[in-house]
């Protein structure tokens, strides 16, 4: 599957989450042409601060494959992974992570981000996971704008 | 609750997990004298690479309080949190994290750790979470020794 095609699935998941009042983050994981997970953030809905889109997607993909390792999988996430999600993707041993919006965009939207770019975490930590920025970055950033219109939106 | 007392609960949870074939990590969270969570790692059992002891404990504590924030809570974890867990504890806005063994100990035991100390992640990221090393470090390190004796142990 092409990264941009997978990112469209992540964007679709994000919009589905926002329609339910969730935060503006979506993630999809594929192994070859098989989609293993298409998930949105459920922090508010599931009252679980760890339920970021990437963590939800990893958990679903592990269940789908019945394997704790997602070797050779590619990941598309609408926003640059925070250190929690980037480290989770490292543990899952995925191949490549594509992202659109940035941690700075999420920070500007009001989320309490650690100020550590995903690329820096991978480099400092010595991870072999590959990271590709600017994948459908404009439509991914637009998700924050759509979400801002929700008067009941919550930041954390 | 005293940090050492909370750490004993984390060690107890870790041993319970190891008796079920799980990895040698335990975590407990308290708010004042109320224990919100006492959890062990379930990565193997739940086929979920994100199910570290700290993530499991945070999820349980959020459910217990019906709140995504664990403000003023203290955390005892048998091993220094990996970047996934340290960032999750930041998102949860806990007050102080006490740990025993180190990421270097877990790395030496065979776990595929990112080489980034928890203190460095907090400093680089600009987190207000407080971190205290060397809390019952010797008994926490002993947990790895006990776990090494299990012929069916799994690393990841």
């Amino acid at each position: 599957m092409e990264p941009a095609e997978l990112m469209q699935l992540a964007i679709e998941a994000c919009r589905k989450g926002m329609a339910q009042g969730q935060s503006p983050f979506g993630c999809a994981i594929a192994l070859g042409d098989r989609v293993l997970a298409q998930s949105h953030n459920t922090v508010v809905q599931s009252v679980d601060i760890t339920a970021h889109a990437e963590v939800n997607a990893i958990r679903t993909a592990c269940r789908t494959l019945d394997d704790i390792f997602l070797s050779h999988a590619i990941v598309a996430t609408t926003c640059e992974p925070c250190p929690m999600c980037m480290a989770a993707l490292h543990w899952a041993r995925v191949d490549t992570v594509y992202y659109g919006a940035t941690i700075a965009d999420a920070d500007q939207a009001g989320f309490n981000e650690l100020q550590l770019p995903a690329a820096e975490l991978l480099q400092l930590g010595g991870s072999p996971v590959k990271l590709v920025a600017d994948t459908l970055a404009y439509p991914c950033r637009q998700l924050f704008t759509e979400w801002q219109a929700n008067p009941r939106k919550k930041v954390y």
Side-chain angles (χ1 to χ4, degrees), chain A:
Chain A
M1 183 168 283
E2 289 302 309
E5 193 182 351
L6 192 63
M7 188 62 89
Q8 288 292 2
L9 297 183
I11 290 171
E12 191 180 280
C14 178
R15 286 223 168 84
K16 193 171 161 187
M18 287 197 293
Q20 297 166 19
Q22 301 306 297
S23 313
F25 305 98
C27 178
I29 303 180
L31 187 60
D33 279 338
R34 184 178 176 198
V35 177
L36 301 178
Q38 186 185 7
S39 307
H40 59 76
N41 180 301
T42 59
V43 165
V44 174
Q45 181 181 332
S46 55
V47 194
D48 174 3
I49 193 71
T50 73
H52 288 199
E54 296 94 326
V55 167
N56 287 346
I58 292 167
R59 300 181 76 221
T60 298
C62 285
R63 275 200 306 272
T64 304
L65 287 183
D66 193 26
D67 195 333
I68 56 171
F69 298 132
L70 306 176
S71 309
H72 311 297
I74 68 166
V75 180
T77 179
T78 58
C79 187
E80 180 183 359
C82 80
M84 175 178 75
C85 294
M86 194 64 256
L89 291 161
H90 163 81
W91 283 112
R93 305 190 183 197
V94 302
D95 187 87
T96 306
V97 177
Y98 299 86
Y99 69 89
T102 64
I103 288 177
D105 294 321
D107 188 72
Q108 200 169 8
F111 292 95
N112 186 32
E113 296 283 347
L114 286 163
Q115 303 299 314
L116 184 63
E120 201 173 325
L121 174 62
L122 292 177
Q123 196 209 335
L124 289 168
S127 178
V129 174
K130 296 186 281 288
L131 186 70
V132 180
D134 281 329
T135 306
L136 302 191
Y138 180 76
C140 286
R141 276 198 304 271
Q142 279 299 108
L143 297 166
F144 286 108
T145 309
E146 292 174 32
W147 171 79
Q148 295 286 3
N150 177 355
R152 291 176 305 169
K153 64 185 178 291
K154 285 185 186 164
V155 292
Y156 43 82

